[in-house]
């Protein structure tokens, strides 16, 4: 959308402009209008695209519906409408101006193979001038002006439709393809000419449009709706436009932009969808008055992070996870750069959920988990940022400027984005050499990229158009480990070849195969390929991957003879490797079900790896499971193995599968017309295209090898089955026997003996001292139970007693003592209250009021006080520091 350069004055709202209204009203007005006009309202899709490798996130309303337009899937009705959450990452660095935002809501309507330009224009004009009440005299429309390169004429059909609807010809503007021909976000897909609607903001913002002259879309004329992308063509990987089997209509309007236009606001950050968020950011930062750039950026970035993470994505170093990590870290850096050592994100997350939750209820359900994950990311990154800011201050003090090399060091070592470094440098009155930074970053990327020596295809490489158009490989491996197929294509050295001889590597595509191609977390099969009738032509297949076009790429090393295109070949999967992989894949299903049964239904799969040696399973959970919980999970999986439950496979429509209770993985593409539902007993039922055992007893045994954090809010279990599970158990038993012998104790007493030994070695004498309490006071401050007491004893004893007393009744404990003229305060906060306050923050508040200094962590902290504390003075500290 184009930039906006001014407020629509109140006096321009005459002539029927819709009264000032909020985003919720606009959203519902749009949907009800199209429902009245025969469209079915559907739910918006996840931000994580399903089966579309061209997109990181859904970035347009039609993206989840792309296969309806190509005829690959049948829509639930020919005419549809919805509100779709979208994320556009390319503009992240521009966020904070008047209209750029990362996450936005797209109001969309579609007609798939039903009505076309005439009806689309009629509906658009009726909505804008009717339900939205806009003055028809202030509406201008653009249409496609034709393009010789594309070989397409001007869209006179749409222009005439607008005239019939009531738009005068001098309000219809023909624009070139770059403005009015909508292309797919990826490299291929449905596309066509489009028509857009603009609102005239008045002569204060420039001269009126004169037919044949410049149409000013940067100041006077504000785009408010792409009222019709007319899907007529399918752009192939070769760039050629081919007619679609039927024509369709796709419309889209950014909700935030529509509210801005209808209410005559200066910025999207002034809308009802953003203003409460911006105010909350100001409150959290302790800043009021004028809304500044960093207020907008933090509001936008946390809004986008909440939306993304509510769809199951967690911060990480690559792929989709890098986006919320980048957004959160930028917010933390901005806040700390403003002197906020601890940026409280929970109130902003709450404001986001209150704003978006009524229309997107899954944000409400995920709020606690998302908040915990963002806090974890903030805490993990905070110390790094602090060191980076200290480094920046030293650079400025020493050189009076920030060189590009300095900025790159801050970026590479401390994660400070260059834009943040630039702003922080400017606040300190110095400049940054951006050109030098860009050069350093470019050299770093070139060195990191290196030289690609593997000339075989990757799954994400673009196949030549002639190959991409071939039918997808038929997979036979659910029922057999060997089959015959015909070689369709051979790739070697990055190009297609007719034959591959012994001693060479290649990628081989056949028409049918028993080899499973990597996907759904399961690695690809390995085995052999042999030319039928020519025993000397033999190759070893080390891996199998599936290209986006559906072709299975078999990574083959030819050992003897020559493999040729057109050969009939016998393909045989390594049975031992497949058996171990199948067992581990089935184990992930049982583990998923057991985790949900023990930890709760909030658990969702966040990733997996299935290979012959082991399985790795990532799942959402706010913290580490207790040892007893992991033991219960392990026991439950082994109980299910002993039931010898048979594998049951059903094929059904996706909606029916999900209605039956089948668990599905967010973002996974399970097929089109039908999906494969895999069940074991009454305890596991999932959508899955992978390979599995026939009976659960074939897993033999299941053992958890490790459990740890994989990312904020995501835990990772590594486990083994079959022979490796037995080996793991035997190794543990042998290790236990060695420990029993070393400690000279019995097996049943080995744990207590080891604990006594460790405690004796690690605990200083002071820590073993006991503390005697006096003048104990029990009270409640802002609904939090508190115990305060004066104590006698060493500091180590105070710390131990504070921990014990805090954990005993889930209360905050403050103990203080005087020793050799020194006043010492010890504070302990139990884990159950950790979301409301921290021990080190309370000590900091006390030392600010009473003098002194100290430190610690969220659970236990201590400080030396300049003034002797009293019960009254400490209650005053608590009242100020404890949130209500």
């Amino acid at each position: 959308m184009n930039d906006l350069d001014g407020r629509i004055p109140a006096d321009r709202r005459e002539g029927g402009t819709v009264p000032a209204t909020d985003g919720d009203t606009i959203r519902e007005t749009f949907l009800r209008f199209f429902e009245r006009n025969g469209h079915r309202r559907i739910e918006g899709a996840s931000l994580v695209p399903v089966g579309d490798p061209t997109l990181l996130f859904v970035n347009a309303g039609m993206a989840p519906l792309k296969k309806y337009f190509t005829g690959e899937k049948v829509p639930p009705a020919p005419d549809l409408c919805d509100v779709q959450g979208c994320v556009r990452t390319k503009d992240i660095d521009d966020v904070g101006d008047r209209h750029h935002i990362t996450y936005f809501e797209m109001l969309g309507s579609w007609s798939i193979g039903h009505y076309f330009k005439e009806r689309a224009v009629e509906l658009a004009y009726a909505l804008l001038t009717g339900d939205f009440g806009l003055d028809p005299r202030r509406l201008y429309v653009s249409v496609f002006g034709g393009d010789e390169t594309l070989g397409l004429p001007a869209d006179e059909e749409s222009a005439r439709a607008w005239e019939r609807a009531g738009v005068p010809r001098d309000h219809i503007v023909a624009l070139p393809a770059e403005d009015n021909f909508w292309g797919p976000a990826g490299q291929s897909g449905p596309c066509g000419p489009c028509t857009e609607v603009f609102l005239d903001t008045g002569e204060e913002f420039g001269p009126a449009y004169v037919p044949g002259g410049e149409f000013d879309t940067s100041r006077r004329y504000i785009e408010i709706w792409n009222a019709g992308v007319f899907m007529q063509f399918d752009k192939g990987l070769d760039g050629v436009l081919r007619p679609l089997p039927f024509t369709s209509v796709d419309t889209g309007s950014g909700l935030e932009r529509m509210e801005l236009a209808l209410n005559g606001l200066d910025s999207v950050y002034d809308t009802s969808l953003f203003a409460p968020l911006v105010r909350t950011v100001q409150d959290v930062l302790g800043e009021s008055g004028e809304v500044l750039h960093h207020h907008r950026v933090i509001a936008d970035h946390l809004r986008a992070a909440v939306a993304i993470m509510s769809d199951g994505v967690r911060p990480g170093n690559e792929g989709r996870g890098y986006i919320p990590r980048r957004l959160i870290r930028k917010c933390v850096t901005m806040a700390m750069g403003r002197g906020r050592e601890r940026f409280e994100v929970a109130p902003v997350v709450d404001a986001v959920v209150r704003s978006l939750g009524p229309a997107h209820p899954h944000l409400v359900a995920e709020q606690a988990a998302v908040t915990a994950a963002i806090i974890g990311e903030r805490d993990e990154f905070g110390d790094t940022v602090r060191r980076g800011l200290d480094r920046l201050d030293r650079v400025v003090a020493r050189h009076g400027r920030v060189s590009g090399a300095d900025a790159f060091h801050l970026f590479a070592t401390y994660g400070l984005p260059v834009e943040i470094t630039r702003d922080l440098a400017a606040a300190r009155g110095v400049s940054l050499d951006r050109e030098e930074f860009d050069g350093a970053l470019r050299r770093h990327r070139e060195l990191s990229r290196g030289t690609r020596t593997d000339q075989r295809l990757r799954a994400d490489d673009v196949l030549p158009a002639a190959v991409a158009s071939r039918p997808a490989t038929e997979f036979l491996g659910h029922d057999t480990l060997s089959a015959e197929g015909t070689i369709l294509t051979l790739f070697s050295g990055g190009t297609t070849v007719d034959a591959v001889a012994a001693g060479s590597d290649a990628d081989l595509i056949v028409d049918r195969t028993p080899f499973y191609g990597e996907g759904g977390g399961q690695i690809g099969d390995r085995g052999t390929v042999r030319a039928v009738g020519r025993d000397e032509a033999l190759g070893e297949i080390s891996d199998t991957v599936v290209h986006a076009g559906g072709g299975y790429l078999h990574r083959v090393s030819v050992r003897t003879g020559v493999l040729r295109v057109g050969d009939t070949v016998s393909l045989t999967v390594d049975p031992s490797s497949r058996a171990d992989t199948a067992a581990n894949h089935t184990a992930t299903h049982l583990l998923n079900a057991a985790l949900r049964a023990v930890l709760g239904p909030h658990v969702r799969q966040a990733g997996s790896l299935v290979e012959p040696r082991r399985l790795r399973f990532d799942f959402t959970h706010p913290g580490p499971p207790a040892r007893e919980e992991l033991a219960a999970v392990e026991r439950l999986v082994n109980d299910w193995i002993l039931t010898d439950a048979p594998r049951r496979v059903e094929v059904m429509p996706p909606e029916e599968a999900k209605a039956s209770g089948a668990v599905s993985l967010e973002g996974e593409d399970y097929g089109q017309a039908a999906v494969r539902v895999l069940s074991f007993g009454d305890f596991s039922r999932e959508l899955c295209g992978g390979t599995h055992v026939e009976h659960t007893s074939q897993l033999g045994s299941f053992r958890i090898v490790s459990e740890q954090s994989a990312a904020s809010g995501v835990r990772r279990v590594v486990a083994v089955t079959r022979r490796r599970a037995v080996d793991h158990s035997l190794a543990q038993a042998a290790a236990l026997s060695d420990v029993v012998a070393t400690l000279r104790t019995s097996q049943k007493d080995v744990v207590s003996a080891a604990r006594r030994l460790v405690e004796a070695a690690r605990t200083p004498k002071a820590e073993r001292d006991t503390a005697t309490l006096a003048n104990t006071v029990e009270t409640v401050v802002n609904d939090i139970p508190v115990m305060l007491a004066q104590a006698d004893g060493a500091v180590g004893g105070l710390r131990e007693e504070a921990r014990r007393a805090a954990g005993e009744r889930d209360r905050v404990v403050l103990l203080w003592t005087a020793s050799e003229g020194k006043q010492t305060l010890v504070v302990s906060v139990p884990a159950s209250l950790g979301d409301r306050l921290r021990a080190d923050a309370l000590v900091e508040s006390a030392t600010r009021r009473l003098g002194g200094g100290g430190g610690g962590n969220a659970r236990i902290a201590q400080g030396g006080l300049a003034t002797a504390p009293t019960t009254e003075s400490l209650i005053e500290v608590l009242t100020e520091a404890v949130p209500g």
Side-chain angles (χ1 to χ4, degrees):
M1 291 186 178
N2 300 306
D3 195 6
L4 306 179
D5 215 27
R7 171 183 296 275
I8 303 172
D11 60 4
R12 297 300 299 169
R13 298 185 186 175
E14 62 187 10
T17 300
V18 68
T21 187
D22 61 20
D24 290 339
T25 303
I26 295 170
R27 187 190 293 118
E28 196 61 26
T29 298
F30 180 92
L31 292 172
R32 287 180 179 174
F33 171 84
F34 280 101
E35 282 184 307
R36 289 200 315 270
N37 285 279
H39 293 63
R40 177 182 293 187
R41 183 191 299 209
I42 60 174
E43 293 296 321
S46 167
L47 287 171
V48 179
V50 175
D52 190 343
T54 68
L55 295 177
L56 192 64
F57 292 105
V58 168
N59 63 355
M62 68 82 61
L65 314 180
K66 188 185 296 184
K67 292 181 180 178
Y68 293 156
F69 293 97
T70 60
E72 295 176 66
K73 292 182 69 175
V74 178
D79 300 336
L80 306 170
C81 63
D82 79 359
V83 177
Q84 173 64 50
C86 300
V87 169
R88 291 187 180 169
T89 59
K90 67 175 184 177
D91 296 329
I92 286 179
D93 291 336
D94 295 321
V95 164
D97 63 7
R98 305 183 61 229
H99 68 97
H100 281 107
I101 53 178
T102 308
Y103 168 85
F104 62 95
E105 295 182 78
M106 184 70 84
L107 307 169
S109 65
W110 300 275
S111 183
I112 301 157
H114 187 204
Y115 66 76
F116 202 42
K117 297 179 180 179
E118 185 79 28
R119 180 62 174 157
V121 167
E122 289 176 357
L123 291 171
Y125 192 77
L127 172 62
L128 293 170
T129 62
D131 292 48
F132 281 155
L134 288 168
D135 182 353
R137 294 169 298 179
R138 297 177 55 207
L139 296 180
Y140 283 71
V141 298
S142 65
V143 297
F144 176 56
D147 189 281
E148 292 184 5
T149 304
L150 295 174
L152 299 176
D155 186 8
E156 276 299 313
E157 183 181 354
S158 294
R160 289 193 295 270
W162 282 113
E163 281 191 281
R164 284 191 290 272
V167 177
R169 190 70 190 197
D170 60 2
H171 281 216
I172 301 173
V173 186
L175 294 178
E178 62 187 52
D179 296 306
N180 277 73
F181 190 91
W182 189 89
Q187 296 179 345
S188 63
C191 55
C194 64
T195 183
E196 298 174 335
V197 181
F198 295 79
L199 189 66
D200 182 0
T201 63
E203 60 186 13
E204 303 93 316
F205 304 103
Y209 167 69
V210 176
E214 179 186 357
F215 185 55
D216 174 15
T217 60
S218 64
R219 296 191 68 236
R220 176 159 179 164
Y221 300 98
I222 301 172
E223 180 200 340
I224 59 174
W225 193 10
N226 194 333
V229 174
F230 302 123
M231 298 295 186
Q232 298 174 247
F233 308 104
D234 188 4
K235 181 182 179 184
L237 289 171
D238 54 6
V240 176
L241 298 180
R242 298 176 178 86
L244 287 166
F246 50 82
T247 58
S248 301
V249 176
D250 161 35
T251 82
S253 173
L255 174 60
E256 297 82 358
R257 171 63 65 92
M258 184 64 82
E259 182 180 344
L260 177 151
L262 293 180
N263 291 328
L265 303 173
D266 279 335
S267 160
V268 289
Y269 296 96
D270 296 329
T271 64
S272 66
L273 301 159
F274 261 107
L277 278 59
V278 173
R279 286 195 297 271
T280 302
V281 170
Q282 289 181 299
D283 291 343
V284 167
L285 295 179
E287 300 173 353
S288 59
E290 181 186 0
V291 173
L292 302 175
H293 179 265
H294 65 277
H295 300 145
R296 292 176 168 184
V297 172
I298 293 174
D300 167 88
H301 283 10
L302 283 182
R303 181 180 190 247
V306 170
I308 292 170
M309 294 169 66
S310 295
D311 276 339
V313 178
R314 287 296 178 265
N317 286 330
E318 57 186 22
R320 293 188 177 95
Y322 179 68
I323 300 303
R325 168 158 288 178
R326 177 183 175 188
L327 295 169
I328 295 166
R329 290 186 169 189
K330 189 169 182 180
C331 292
V332 172
T333 307
M334 280 188 154
M336 293 183 69
R338 306 289 297 182
R340 309 300 293 186
E341 286 295 304
R342 182 176 172 81
F343 176 47
E344 295 299 335
V345 299
V348 186
V349 174
D350 186 61
V352 172
V353 173
R354 279 188 276 109
S355 171
L356 297 176
H360 307 281
H362 69 285
L363 270 71
V364 179
E366 295 294 322
Q367 181 174 355
V370 168
T371 301
I374 294 177
I375 289 174
E377 185 71 14
R378 176 203 66 189
D379 292 346
E380 180 180 334
F381 187 56
D383 289 341
T384 302
V385 174
R386 190 175 294 107
R387 292 195 299 272
L389 293 174
D390 290 343
R391 166 83 181 197
L392 175 63
D393 286 335
R394 290 197 298 272
V395 168
V396 172
R398 186 179 303 119
H399 303 295
R401 61 185 290 273
V402 180
S403 70
D406 291 327
F408 179 76
H409 180 75
L410 290 168
F411 167 73
T413 306
Y414 303 103
L416 288 184
V418 66
E419 293 78 18
I420 296 295
T421 301
R422 176 201 61 204
D423 294 344
L424 294 173
R428 289 156 173 78
V430 300
S431 61
L432 181 150
D433 190 333
R434 180 58 186 265
E435 185 175 339
E436 185 182 349
F437 170 85
D438 291 338
L441 180 62
R442 186 168 54 253
R443 289 190 297 274
H444 170 74
R445 286 174 173 169
E446 289 170 355
L447 290 171
S448 300
R449 188 179 300 116
T451 301
R452 182 180 169 191
T453 57
D454 181 2
Q455 292 300 311
R456 294 183 298 179
L457 285 178
R458 297 174 300 188
D460 58 353
D461 281 337
V462 177
L463 289 173
V467 177
S469 62
R470 292 183 183 277
T473 303
E474 180 185 2
F475 175 59
L476 309 172
H478 285 136
D479 304 310
T480 183
L481 296 182
S482 61
E484 290 188 356
T486 301
I487 298 179
L488 302 179
T489 307
L490 287 166
F491 290 95
S492 183
T495 186
T496 57
V497 296
D498 295 328
V500 180
S504 298
D505 295 336
D507 293 295
L508 176 151
I509 298 180
V510 290
D511 60 342
R512 55 208 303 265
T513 184
F515 282 69
Y516 182 82
E518 181 180 347
Q522 178 177 332
I523 68 167
D525 279 329
R526 57 177 183 249
T528 60
V529 56
R530 185 186 301 272
V532 174
R534 290 192 290 113
D535 291 342
E536 78 282 1
L538 172 67
E540 292 184 5
I541 296 173
S542 59
D543 194 10
T544 311
V545 300
V546 184
H547 193 274
Y552 280 50
L553 302 175
H554 303 74
R555 313 297 203 190
V556 61
S557 296
V558 182
R559 297 308 182 200
T560 60
V562 179
L563 292 175
R564 297 183 176 88
V565 172
D567 277 353
T568 299
V569 291
S570 173
L571 300 121
T572 303
V573 176
D574 178 356
S576 176
S577 175
R578 167 66 80 83
D580 288 340
T581 301
N584 286 337
H585 200 157
T586 298
T588 65
H589 285 219
L590 304 191
L591 175 59
N592 193 4
L595 288 166
R596 292 169 65 86
V598 173
L599 300 181
H602 66 278
V603 168
R604 291 192 304 181
Q605 182 175 345
S608 67
L609 172 66
V610 178
E611 57 183 10
R613 297 182 301 108
R614 60 171 186 156
L615 65 95
R616 188 182 73 210
F617 188 82
D618 296 348
F619 61 97
T620 57
H621 192 59
R627 183 177 59 186
E628 296 78 10
E629 291 174 323
L630 280 179
V633 167
E634 194 172 43
R635 186 177 297 109
L636 186 55
V637 172
N638 282 293
D639 287 345
W640 288 337
I641 291 172
L642 294 174
T643 66
D644 193 31
R647 179 185 71 201
R648 188 171 71 256
V649 178
E650 304 166 85
V651 178
M652 61 185 71
E655 294 78 9
E656 182 180 335
K658 292 181 180 180
S660 73
V663 175
S664 61
L665 176 62
E666 290 282 353
E668 185 70 16
D669 187 2
Y670 296 96
Q672 303 305 320
V675 293
R676 188 169 181 265
V677 179
L678 189 79
S679 302
F680 289 96
D682 59 358
F683 44 81
S684 174
R685 184 173 176 82
E686 288 194 29
L687 279 69
C688 184
T691 62
H692 292 267
V693 299
E694 294 182 355
H695 290 260
T696 57
S697 62
Q698 291 173 300
L699 272 65
S701 179
F702 171 84
R703 294 301 312 275
I704 293 176
V705 175
S706 65
E707 190 283 330
Q708 62 187 26
S709 173
S712 298
V714 177
R715 307 300 300 179
R716 170 169 293 172
V717 164
V718 175
V720 289
T721 63
R722 290 168 59 90
R723 293 181 299 275
R724 288 181 175 81
V726 174
D727 292 343
H728 181 74
S729 296
L730 292 175
Q732 282 189 320
L736 178 60
S737 295
D738 288 344
V739 173
V740 168
T742 301
L743 295 180
R744 298 180 181 180
T745 185
S746 65
Q747 185 166 317
K748 69 181 180 67
D749 294 328
V750 67
V751 174
S752 58
R755 283 175 177 165
R756 286 195 300 272
L757 184 64
V758 170
E759 287 299 320
R762 290 185 175 178
T763 307
K765 181 179 183 303
E767 290 284 343
R768 298 194 295 271
D769 291 341
T770 57
T772 303
L773 306 186
N775 302 324
T776 300
V777 174
E778 299 275 355
T779 186
V780 175
V781 177
N782 288 338
D783 298 325
I784 291 182
V786 178
M787 184 186 95
L788 305 101
Q790 191 170 2
D792 291 322
V795 173
L798 261 68
R799 291 171 65 91
E800 193 62 31
E801 180 61 24
R803 284 195 190 96
R804 184 199 64 75
E808 182 180 65
R809 296 186 188 176
D810 281 336
R811 59 188 172 183
V812 176
V813 173
L814 291 86
L815 306 181
W816 70 94
T817 186
S819 176
E820 299 178 355
K822 297 179 180 179
Q823 307 289 334
T824 302
L825 172 69
V826 175
V827 178
S828 182
V829 175
S832 60
L833 297 175
D835 62 334
R836 295 192 62 185
L837 70 163
R838 296 171 57 99
D840 50 5
L842 288 177
V843 167
E844 181 182 355
S845 297
T847 55
R848 266 201 314 267
R849 174 179 285 268
L850 302 173
N857 55 42
R859 300 289 167 262
I860 188 79
Q862 72 183 58
L865 304 180
T867 304
T870 64
T871 299
E872 292 74 20
S873 65
L874 291 179
I875 289 178
E876 290 177 2
V877 168
L878 283 164
T879 303
E880 292 179 1
V882 176

